[in-house]
C-alpha cells in the first residue's frame, strides 16, 4: 500500500510540474498584455498594477484586427461548411457503394492523411494566380476544403459503415432515394462524427499560416495568423503591443477549448484514435 | 428482397437500374473528387513534373531533366544548404520522436490510473495544441529573450547567471531549443493517443500482475509497453509526417532563413525561400528548384510511410 501512495505522490508532482510549465507562459502572456512595457520588465510575473489597454487599442487601430477576425471567420466557416457537406456526401458513397472503384477512391482520399498538401504549393501558387484569386480570401477556401477531404472521408466513412444495415434497407423498401437516405437519415445520425471533423479542421484552418503567407499580401485579405506575423514584426520591441496581438490571436481558441475540451481532444486526434 | 422491389418500382427508364445507381454514387462523390483532384492531388503530382523544369518567376517552362536535382546534390551553391536542411529536419524530427513521445508515454501512463484530477491534468497538457504554432513560436521568443525574457530572469534569480544564455542566438543551441518549444506545444497529442491505447488494456490483467507482486515499473515494461506497440507505430508515423514538413515554428522563432546562419534551416524553410519567396537579394522564386526540394521531401515521407506500413503489417501477421 505504501508503494502505491509513493507512486501516486510522484505522479501528482510530475503532472503538476508539467502543468506549471504549460500554464505559466500562457498566463504571463495574458497578464503582461495589460501592463506598460516598464512594468513587464520590472515585474513580469505579478498582476498588472498600472492596468492598460494600449496594446489592444494599437492592435485594433493600426493593425485592423477587426478585419483580420472577419476574414478568418469567413474563411473558416465557409471552408468547414463545404468540407462537411462535400465530405459527408463522398463518405456516404464510399461506405455504401460496393465496388472496386469505391475502394480505390477511399484509399486515394485517405492517402492525403500522410502527404501534406503544402508539398504542392508551387503548383497551387500558379493555379491560384491563373484563377485570379491571389490576394483574396477566396484563394484559401478551395485549398482548405481539399485539405479537409482526407480526414473527412476517413472519419465519416468509418462512422457510416458502423451504422446498422437494416436501417438503410428499411428506408429503401419505403422507396426512399439515395439522396433522401443521405439527407434525412445519415446526416442527422452523423452529428457526432461531423463535430469531430469540424473541430479538427477548424483548428487547422483558423491557425494556418502557410497559405495566407503564400497567397496573400493585401491588407484587405489578411487573416489573423498573417496579421499576427506582420504586427509582431512591427511591435517586436514594444512588448505590451506584441503580447496584446498574441493574446488576441490565442484567446478565441482558448475559450472554445475551455468550453469544449473533450470534443477538442477527440477532434484533434481524429486521424489516429477511433471513436 | 428489397432490391427486387426497388427495381420493379424504378423500371421503365432509359438506363438500367444498375447504371442508374452507379450514376447516383458518382454524383455523390463528384464534388469531393473535383476539389481534391484540383487543389490537392493534382498540384502534388504536377509539382513532381515541375521539378524537371527551370525558368524565372512563375513560369518554369524550360525542360532540364534532372538538372535541379544534380544542382541540389553537387553544386556548392545548393549542396551545403540542402544537406544542412535535410540534417536539421531529421534532428528536429528526432527530438520530437524521442522527447515528445517519451513524455507523452509517461504522462499517458500516469493519467491511466484512476485518481482525482486526471481529466484536469489531461486538459492542461493538451492546451497548447490548440494555439497557433505561430503564436507559440512568438511567445517563446519573448520568454527566451536573452535580456528581458522570463527564462533568463529566473536563472539569474536562482543564482545560475552563467546558464542565462542567448538561447536562440547560438548555432548549436537554437535548433534543439526550437524543437523543445514545439514539443511543449504538441506533447498532448501522443499523450492522448497513448492514453486511448492504455485504457484498452484489460484491468484484470493488470490487477492479476499486481497481486503476483509485480511493480508498476515491471507492469509498464512487460505488459503495457508490448501491448502499446501498434499505437507507438501510429504515433511514430504521425510525428514523422507532421514534423518533416514543419515551417511555422522556425519562421516565428528564427525567420525564413533559419537564423543564426542557417543553423535552424529546415527543408520547409529552404523550400519557401527557394520556390516561393525568392532568395534575398534577388527575390525571384526559382519554382523548378522549389519543386525539386518538395519532391525530395515527398520521397522521404513516402519511404517513411511505406516502411511503417510494411512494419505494421509484419507485426500484425506475427501477432
Amino acid at each position: 500500500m505504501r508503494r502505491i501512495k509513493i507512486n501516486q505522490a510522484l505522479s501528482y508532482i510530475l503532472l503538476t510540474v508539467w502543468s506549471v510549465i504549460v500554464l505559466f507562459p500562457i498566463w504571463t502572456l495574458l497578464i503582461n498584455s495589460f501592463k506598460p512595457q516598464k512594468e513587464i520588465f520590472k515585474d513580469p510575473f505579478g498582476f498588472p498594477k498600472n492596468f492598460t489597454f494600449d496594446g489592444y487599442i494599437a492592435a485594433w487601430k493600426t493593425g485592423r484586427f477587426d478585419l483580420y477576425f472577419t476574414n478568418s471567420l469567413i474563411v473558416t466557416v465557409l471552408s468547414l461548411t463545404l468540407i462537411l457537406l462535400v465530405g459527408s456526401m463522398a463518405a456516404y458513397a464510399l461506405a455504401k457503394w460496393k465496388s472496386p472503384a469505391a475502394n480505390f477512391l477511399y484509399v486515394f482520399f485517405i492517402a492525403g492523411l500522410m502527404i501534406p498538401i503544402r508539398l504542392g504549393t508551387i503548383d497551387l501558387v500558379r493555379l491560384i494566380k491563373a484563377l485570379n484569386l491571389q490576394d483574396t480570401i477566396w484563394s484559401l477556401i478551395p485549398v482548405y476544403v481539399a485539405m479537409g477531404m482526407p480526414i473527412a472521408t476517413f472519419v465519416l466513412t468509418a462512422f457510416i459503415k458502423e451504422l446498422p444495415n437494416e436501417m438503410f434497407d428499411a428506408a429503401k423498401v419505403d422507396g426512399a432515394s439515395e439522396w433522401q437516405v443521405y439527407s434525412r437519415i445519415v446526416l442527422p445520425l452523423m452529428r457526432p462524427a461531423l463535430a469531430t471533423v469540424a473541430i479538427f479542421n477548424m483548428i487547422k484552418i483558423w491557425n494556418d499560416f502557410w497559405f495566407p503567407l503564400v497567397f496573400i499580401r493585401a491588407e484587405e485579405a489578411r487573416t489573423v495568423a498573417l496579421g499576427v506575423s506582420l504586427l509582431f514584426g512591427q511591435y517586436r520591441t514594444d512588448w505590451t503591443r506584441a503580447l496584446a496581438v498574441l493574446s488576441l490571436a490565442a484567446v478565441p481558441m482558448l475559450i472554445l477549448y475551455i468550453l469544449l475540451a473533450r470534443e477538442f481532444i477527440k477532434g484533434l486526434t481524429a486521424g489516429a484514435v477511433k471513436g | 428482397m428489397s432490391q427486387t422491389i426497388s427495381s420493379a418500382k424504378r423500371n421503365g427508364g432509359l438506363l438500367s437500374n444498375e447504371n442508374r445507381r452507379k450514376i447516383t454514387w458518382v454524383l455523390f462523390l463528384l464534388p469531393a473528387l473535383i476539389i481534391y483532384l484540383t487543389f490537392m492531388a493534382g498540384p502534388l503530382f504536377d509539382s513532381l513534373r515541375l521539378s524537371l523544369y527551370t525558368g524565372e518567376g512563375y513560369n518554369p517552362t524550360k525542360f532540364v531533366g534532372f538538372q535541379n536535382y544534380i544542382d541540389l546534390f553537387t553544386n556548392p551553391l545548393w549542396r551545403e544548404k540542402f544537406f544542412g536542411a535535410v540534417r536539421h529536419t531529421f534532428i528536429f524530427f528526432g527530438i520530437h520522436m524521442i522527447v515528445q513521445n517519451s513524455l507523452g508515454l509517461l504522462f499517458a501512463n500516469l493519467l491511466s490510473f484512476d485518481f482525482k484530477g486526471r481529466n484536469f491534468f489531461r486538459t492542461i497538457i493538451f492546451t497548447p495544441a490548440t494555439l497557433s504554432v505561430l503564436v507559440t513560436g512568438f511567445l517563446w521568443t519573448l520568454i527566451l529573450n536573452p535580456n528581458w525574457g522570463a527564462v533568463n530572469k529566473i536563472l539569474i534569480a536562482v543564482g545560475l547567471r552563467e546558464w542565462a544564455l542567448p538561447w536562440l542566438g547560438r548555432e548549436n543551441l537554437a535548433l534543439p531549443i526550437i524543437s523543445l518549444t514545439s514539443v511543449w506545444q504538441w506533447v498532448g497529442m501522443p499523450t492522448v493517443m497513448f492514453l486511448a491505447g492504455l485504457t484498452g488494456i484489460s484491468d484484470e490483467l493488470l490487477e492479476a500482475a499486481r497481486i503476483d507482486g509485480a511493480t508498476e515499473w515491471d507492469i509498464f515494461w512487460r505488459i503495457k509497453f508490448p501491448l502499446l506497440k501498434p499505437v507507438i507505430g501510429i504515433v511514430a508515423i504521425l510525428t514523422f509526417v507532421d514534423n518533416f514538413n514543419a515551417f511555422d515554428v522556425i519562421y516565428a522563432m528564427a525567420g525564413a532563413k533559419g537564423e543564426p546562419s542557417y543553423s535552424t534551416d529546415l527543408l520547409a524553410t529552404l523550400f519557401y525561400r527557394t520556390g516561393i519567396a525568392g532568395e534575398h537579394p534577388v527575390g525571384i522564386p526559382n519554382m523548378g528548384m522549389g519543386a525539386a526540394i518538395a519532391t525530395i521531401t515527398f520521397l522521404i515521407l513516402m519511404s517513411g510511410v511505406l516502411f511503417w506500413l510494411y512494419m505494421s503489417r509484419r507485426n500484425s501477421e506475427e501477432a
Side-chain angles (χ1 to χ4, degrees):
Chain A
M1 277 301 107
R2 234 191 86 211
R3 209 173 62 204
I4 290 175
K5 277 223 172 100
I6 294 171
N7 279 343
Q8 211 166 44
L10 209 76
S11 94
Y12 266 116
I13 293 169
L14 275 170
L15 291 169
T16 308
V17 168
W18 187 261
S19 301
V20 171
I21 295 175
V22 166
L23 292 181
F24 175 75
I26 300 174
W27 171 247
T28 40
L29 161 67
L30 296 176
I31 55 162
N32 283 318
S33 68
F34 294 106
K35 292 178 191 169
Q37 172 118 334
K38 265 189 195 155
E39 197 187 327
I40 299 177
F41 291 158
K42 231 171 65 191
D43 174 25
F45 309 124
F47 272 101
K49 286 184 208 79
N50 307 299
F51 207 86
T52 172
F53 276 109
D54 281 359
Y56 290 91
I57 293 167
W60 222 265
K61 282 207 177 133
T62 63
R64 301 197 58 196
F65 242 81
D66 49 342
L67 182 75
Y68 308 160
F69 267 119
T70 318
N71 284 338
S72 278
L73 206 63
I74 295 173
V75 169
T76 309
V77 169
L78 283 181
S79 306
L80 284 184
T81 313
L82 284 169
I83 289 171
L84 295 181
L85 179 70
V86 171
S88 63
M89 282 170 60
Y92 178 53
L94 292 173
K96 288 289 156 196
W97 185 20
K98 306 278 178 268
S99 76
N103 294 341
F104 169 77
L105 286 176
Y106 177 69
V107 174
F108 179 56
F109 274 117
I110 63 169
L113 286 174
M114 293 295 170
I115 302 159
I117 189 171
R118 285 179 181 186
L119 294 178
T121 305
I122 298 277
D123 209 57
L124 279 172
V125 170
R126 288 157 35 99
L127 179 61
I128 293 298
K129 246 196 158 58
L131 295 171
N132 217 4
L133 292 175
Q134 80 275 29
D135 262 342
T136 70
I137 55 170
W138 312 112
S139 63
L140 300 171
I141 294 169
V143 176
Y144 290 155
V145 176
M147 194 169 90
M149 283 306 110
I151 195 77
T153 45
F154 177 67
V155 173
L156 300 177
T157 305
F159 187 87
I160 297 171
K161 278 189 174 161
E162 305 261 303
L163 294 174
N165 260 325
E166 297 81 47
M167 212 176 60
F168 294 98
D169 294 342
K172 296 273 175 52
V173 172
D174 292 342
S177 69
E178 294 297 352
W179 176 259
Q180 283 167 330
V181 175
Y182 160 77
S183 58
R184 301 217 186 125
I185 301 175
V186 177
L187 262 190
L189 281 172
M190 223 167 17
R191 261 180 297 187
L194 289 172
T196 304
V197 173
I199 285 174
F200 179 93
N201 286 297
M202 177 180 74
I203 299 166
K204 296 255 148 147
I205 294 171
W206 183 270
N207 287 340
D208 182 59
F209 171 60
W210 174 261
F211 286 110
L213 176 73
V214 170
F215 293 153
I216 291 166
R217 295 267 181 286
E219 174 156 59
E220 289 69 40
R222 282 178 201 160
T223 62
V224 172
L226 189 59
V228 165
S229 89
L230 296 169
L231 287 180
F232 190 84
Q234 276 175 39
Y235 296 159
R236 203 167 268 273
T237 49
D238 185 339
W239 284 37
T240 309
R241 289 183 176 193
L243 291 171
V245 166
L246 295 184
S247 302
L248 278 173
V251 161
M253 278 296 146
L254 279 178
I255 291 176
L256 277 179
Y257 176 63
I258 292 166
L259 294 174
L260 298 165
R262 200 173 285 272
E263 284 73 16
F264 263 62
I265 293 172
K266 199 172 146 192
L268 258 181
T269 51
V273 184
K274 273 195 194 165
Chain B
M1 192 47 192
S2 66
Q3 265 194 351
T4 45
I5 292 175
S6 63
S7 67
K9 225 174 225 174
R10 287 181 197 166
N11 241 343
L14 282 170
L15 293 160
S16 74
N17 203 36
E18 176 111 352
N19 280 334
R20 193 190 299 239
R21 279 179 63 85
K22 234 182 236 170
I23 289 172
T24 312
W25 288 132
V26 171
L27 287 177
F28 267 98
L29 281 162
L30 212 54
L33 204 55
I34 289 172
I35 291 177
Y36 186 66
L37 276 173
T38 316
F39 291 96
M40 188 155 172
L44 273 168
F45 285 112
D46 205 46
S47 282
L48 307 186
R49 183 185 64 83
L50 280 177
S51 72
L52 304 177
Y53 287 76
T54 196
E56 298 260 290
Y58 292 91
N59 286 308
T61 43
K62 194 170 157 244
F63 182 80
V64 287
F66 287 100
Q67 192 56 46
N68 287 328
Y69 296 94
I70 295 169
D71 278 346
L72 272 181
F73 284 101
T74 59
N75 185 338
L77 262 173
W78 291 102
R79 194 182 57 197
E80 209 173 308
K81 273 183 199 150
F82 171 67
F83 282 110
V86 172
R87 193 174 65 244
H88 302 149
T89 308
F90 271 104
I91 295 173
F92 186 80
F93 156 67
I95 292 178
H96 283 82
M97 191 66 200
I98 295 165
V99 182
Q100 170 190 287
N101 294 343
S102 308
L103 275 177
L105 196 53
L106 170 71
F107 294 150
N109 193 39
L110 297 180
L111 291 173
S112 70
F113 293 96
D114 196 17
F115 65 93
K116 230 187 197 163
R118 55 186 285 213
N119 279 334
F120 175 73
F121 283 122
R122 189 185 66 153
T123 307
I124 289 178
I125 290 170
F126 201 83
T127 307
T130 61
L131 297 174
S132 121
V133 176
L134 205 66
V135 169
T136 309
F138 286 144
L139 175 58
W140 277 95
T141 34
L142 296 181
I143 296 174
L144 292 164
N145 181 298
N147 300 319
W148 307 108
V151 168
N152 282 1
K153 282 199 163 169
I154 292 172
L155 286 170
I156 290 168
V158 298
L160 292 169
R161 184 171 285 276
E162 63 274 26
W163 282 75
L165 300 168
W167 300 103
L168 300 173
R170 291 220 181 142
E171 283 180 37
N172 55 346
L173 270 179
L175 185 59
I177 293 290
I178 294 175
S179 311
L180 290 175
T181 305
S182 173
V183 167
W184 175 86
Q185 172 154 32
W186 297 113
V187 70
M189 301 285 280
T191 304
V192 172
M193 291 179 211
F194 286 133
L195 190 54
L198 285 169
T199 21
I201 298 173
S202 92
D203 281 334
E204 287 97 56
L205 186 66
L206 302 177
E207 244 358 274
R210 280 187 196 115
I211 288 166
D212 287 344
T215 61
E216 288 303 327
W217 182 259
D218 289 335
I219 291 174
F220 180 78
W221 288 111
R222 301 250 183 96
I223 300 175
K224 290 177 178 172
F225 193 79
L227 285 172
L228 274 181
K229 264 189 190 158
V231 187
I232 293 171
I234 293 173
V235 168
I237 194 66
L238 286 179
T239 310
F240 181 64
V241 172
D242 287 345
N243 290 304
F244 231 80
N245 204 33
F247 171 81
D248 300 23
V249 71
I250 301 288
Y251 185 89
M253 299 183 78
K257 285 163 89 177
E259 303 286 359
S261 46
Y262 299 105
S263 64
T264 59
D265 196 21
L266 302 186
L267 278 166
T269 39
L270 180 67
F271 169 63
Y272 173 75
R273 288 200 314 276
T274 308
I276 292 156
E279 196 89 65
H280 190 76
V282 193
I284 299 168
N286 182 344
M287 289 199 145
M289 187 61 89
I293 297 169
T295 303
I296 291 170
T297 315
F298 175 80
L299 292 176
I300 298 176
L301 275 172
M302 283 315 287
S303 21
V305 170
L306 291 176
F307 176 73
W308 168 68
L309 282 174
Y310 169 76
M311 289 303 281
S312 57
R313 187 153 298 176
R314 213 183 61 174
N315 281 339
S316 65
E317 270 167 16
E318 273 172 15

